[in-house]
Amino acid sequence: MSKKYNYNYVFLFYDVDEKRCNKVFKVCKKYLNHYQKSVFRGEISPSKLLKLKKDLDKIIDKDYDYVSVIKLLNQSFFEEEHIGKYDLQDGEMFI
Amino acid sequence: MGEAVRYIMSEGELKRKDNSICFRKGGRNYYIPIEGIKEIYCLNEVSINTKLLDFLASNGIVLHFFNYYGNYSGTFFPREKYISGRITVKQANKYSYERLKVAKAIVKGIAINVVEVLYSYYKNGNHEIKNNIDIIRYEITKALDPLTNIKEVLSIEGAIWTQFYDALRRILNKDFEFLKRVKRPPDNPVNAMISLGNSILYTKTITQIYHTHLNQSISFLHEPSDGRFSLALDLSEVFKPIIVFKTILKLVNKKMIKVDKHFDKALKYCIMNEDGKQIFIKELNQRLEETFKHPKLKRKVSYNTAIKLDALKLVKYVLEDQAFVPFNVKELV
């Protein structure tokens, strides 16, 4: 996809040193919903995404850590399948 | 996005944690991302502390509280960001001199939207309600123009709703018997849904007005009294038929909600149970997020935003004397 799109939904995976794990976790949960151990996802506006990336930039060590963001247009652009027990996830409208 | 809402349906503790919000329930933490959230609804017993309130205030998040029966109990909103003495003075000025004009515009808006909702049923073959439509369209609306007294305008509004409820009785599925509107407490399933829907719409309107410079307590149709935000009552009125009642009609006629499954009839009156509330609020929220092409703005706008646009129209009216025409479905076509 070209850069013209406005991405409004992201998946974020991180693989960082133990020392920085918690810091990255704290930043991510401000913007996105916790999905699995080191996976976040959720709706986010392009401007908020820039802010999130800037926040992460300050924390991680670029020579060692790796954070990947998969950007999607919106929630209807993928299909999800569950195997195993599906708990109430963060990010649902009702808690 | 940007209008994100969370509904807290279970008991627990809401607190600030690591510059974000955390809801603790049954030993598990549920994180609510602070960025992008606008409103939080507490529909059950939730403990909060001042640390959280301060944090919400600095992020401009509005917190609504409802009691166990689903009645609205109050709103916490951050220190007013948008204060304008100029607008408050002018708004009060308009109230003293041109109250009737605005009140009439609102009542006319209700009539248009009510007819629009009913007409779609008439078109699809329900001819019983033709009488009600005609009465609203020709008799009631005509009677509005010459009025000079706010009490009479209010009685016209009452007459419109009476006709609407009468028609509703003929549209609704047989399981849902609906004779007349009863409040505090609602006495049957439909009244319970109307009450819950109206109070949620009311809170949504409060949030939208909060983001404008208007004064929440100076209203035009309703009497500006103490203790409630009567302007929100005014502005939410025209949205009731298209948001609350359309949701109810959809849920009932598509059998998504059932009397014996989703209502608690233990006491004399009916209240919705947890499941029922969840289904209802989800559908209502979907309706609010639904978008349509705005004829003037030439872009897609959700009904939620339309409420805010109505508030902004009122600002324009107050400041620049531009005629206030509340939102109506007809203007879309």
Side-chain angles (χ1 to χ4, degrees):
Chain A
M1 283 194 252
S2 79
K3 275 179 188 166
K4 278 183 295 185
Y5 290 101
N6 267 327
Y7 297 105
N8 283 299
Y9 194 93
V10 297
F11 277 75
L12 187 147
F13 311 86
Y14 61 83
D15 202 348
V16 297
D17 191 83
E18 258 177 71
K19 279 179 270 175
R20 292 179 289 275
C21 249
N22 226 346
K23 284 182 184 166
V24 174
F25 184 80
K26 278 180 185 174
V27 166
C28 290
K29 80 178 183 195
K30 265 169 72 177
Y31 298 87
L32 301 165
N33 300 310
H34 193 205
Y35 189 47
Q36 277 183 2
K37 284 206 175 72
S38 59
V39 181
F40 279 84
R41 66 171 191 178
E43 262 186 281
I44 190 167
S45 62
S47 70
K48 292 267 162 61
L49 185 60
L50 282 176
K51 250 169 90 183
L52 169 62
K53 283 195 284 190
K54 211 173 99 194
D55 282 358
L56 285 174
D57 233 32
K58 284 183 216 153
I59 298 168
I60 59 167
D61 175 0
K62 287 220 184 85
D63 300 325
Y64 187 85
D65 302 332
Y66 178 65
V67 178
S68 149
V69 180
I70 293 174
K71 297 187 269 191
L72 294 157
L73 294 183
N74 61 44
Q75 271 175 82
S76 47
F77 267 73
F78 63 90
E79 201 182 296
E80 205 175 344
E81 257 184 55
H82 308 288
I83 300 171
K85 191 170 170 272
Y86 179 77
D87 252 352
L88 173 69
Q89 291 291 341
D90 283 1
E92 262 162 44
M93 216 164 71
F94 298 98
I95 309 175
Chain B
M1 246 301 269
E3 307 271 330
V5 219
R6 284 305 163 87
Y7 297 89
I8 295 173
M9 296 286 234
S10 37
E11 256 174 73
E13 189 190 0
L14 199 63
K15 58 182 182 180
R16 172 182 184 171
K17 199 178 176 199
D18 306 326
N19 265 338
S20 189
I21 316 168
C22 167
F23 181 67
R24 195 165 173 78
K25 160 194 161 192
R28 222 198 109 174
N29 288 337
Y30 295 86
Y31 295 110
I32 303 175
I34 183 87
E35 302 284 344
I37 224 143
K38 266 243 172 94
E39 295 171 273
I40 298 175
Y41 282 79
C42 300
L43 298 150
N44 207 325
E45 277 177 45
V46 176
S47 330
I48 47 171
N49 54 15
T50 43
K51 216 162 93 181
L52 174 86
L53 293 180
D54 178 55
F55 183 57
L56 293 180
S58 61
N59 284 284
I61 294 170
V62 179
L63 196 59
H64 302 289
F65 299 100
F66 287 78
N67 69 9
Y68 175 77
Y69 298 101
N71 295 330
Y72 175 61
S73 43
T75 299
F76 165 76
F77 59 56
R79 181 173 51 83
E80 288 266 6
K81 239 191 320 186
Y82 305 98
I83 295 180
S84 163
R86 200 162 54 103
I87 289 191
T88 308
V89 169
K90 287 204 164 166
Q91 200 184 335
N93 216 8
K94 285 278 179 214
Y95 169 76
S96 340
Y97 298 112
E98 287 175 23
R99 181 179 177 191
L100 262 182
K101 215 164 139 189
V102 182
K104 276 183 188 172
I106 293 172
V107 173
K108 215 171 252 174
I110 301 171
I112 294 174
N113 290 340
V114 160
V115 166
E116 201 61 25
V117 170
L118 292 182
Y119 192 69
S120 63
Y121 283 88
Y122 171 68
K123 232 176 16 195
N124 289 324
N126 193 335
H127 293 288
E128 281 175 65
I129 57 174
K130 179 158 196 321
N131 199 17
N132 300 106
I133 296 179
D134 285 345
I135 291 178
I136 298 176
R137 234 193 216 161
Y138 301 113
E139 289 174 29
I140 296 181
T141 324
K142 284 250 166 64
L144 190 64
D145 283 327
L147 297 183
T148 51
N149 185 336
I150 192 78
K151 286 240 167 60
E152 291 167 331
V153 176
L154 278 168
S155 73
I156 291 281
E157 189 213 350
I160 294 174
W161 287 118
T162 317
Q163 290 299 330
F164 181 59
Y165 294 140
D166 189 52
L168 211 58
R169 215 174 58 208
R170 294 168 221 270
I171 298 173
L172 285 171
N173 185 321
K174 274 190 210 77
D175 299 346
F176 284 85
E177 218 186 8
F178 177 67
L179 293 174
K180 63 173 199 286
R181 177 89 176 96
V182 178
K183 291 179 227 174
R184 274 172 249 176
D187 70 339
N188 68 24
V190 179
N191 276 315
M193 282 194 282
I194 299 176
S195 288
L196 182 65
N198 282 352
S199 45
I200 287 181
L201 183 64
Y202 171 61
T203 56
K204 294 269 176 196
T205 317
I206 290 178
T207 311
Q208 297 297 356
I209 298 178
Y210 170 73
H211 291 283
T212 69
H213 287 93
L214 289 169
N215 189 318
Q216 300 251 19
S217 55
I218 304 175
S219 60
F220 296 88
L221 180 62
H222 295 81
E223 208 59 47
S225 55
D226 308 326
R228 54 182 193 170
F229 298 134
S230 31
L231 185 62
L233 290 173
D234 273 13
L235 291 183
S236 65
E237 208 72 53
V238 291
F239 290 93
K240 275 181 193 169
I242 30 181
I243 290 170
V244 179
F245 287 98
K246 276 222 158 173
T247 309
I248 294 174
L249 287 168
K250 182 182 171 191
L251 286 173
V252 170
N253 289 343
K254 288 201 169 167
K255 299 195 171 64
M256 287 157 86
I257 217 154
K258 294 204 172 79
V259 179
D260 46 345
K261 238 170 113 190
H262 297 120
F263 290 90
D264 209 344
K265 232 176 186 167
L267 291 166
K268 211 176 150 194
Y269 48 85
C270 290
I271 55 170
M272 289 182 114
N273 65 17
E274 202 97 313
D275 273 355
K277 264 187 207 166
Q278 231 174 77
I279 295 173
F280 182 75
I281 295 175
K282 199 172 201 168
E283 204 54 46
L284 194 72
N285 214 53
Q286 230 172 56
R287 181 80 192 148
L288 279 160
E289 293 289 306
E290 210 174 285
T291 55
F292 57 89
K293 181 114 186 202
H294 194 284
K296 264 190 200 147
L297 295 177
K298 302 248 186 297
R299 66 177 162 85
K300 288 204 159 183
V301 163
S302 70
Y303 285 101
N304 214 344
T305 319
I307 300 179
K308 188 173 182 179
L309 293 178
D310 251 20
L312 294 176
K313 270 188 230 164
L314 199 61
V315 173
K316 279 238 166 190
Y317 170 71
V318 166
L319 284 183
E320 298 166 16
D321 251 334
Q322 269 187 29
F324 175 66
V325 183
F327 177 80
N328 63 57
V329 224
K330 275 235 172 103
E331 132 192 323
L332 307 181
V333 199

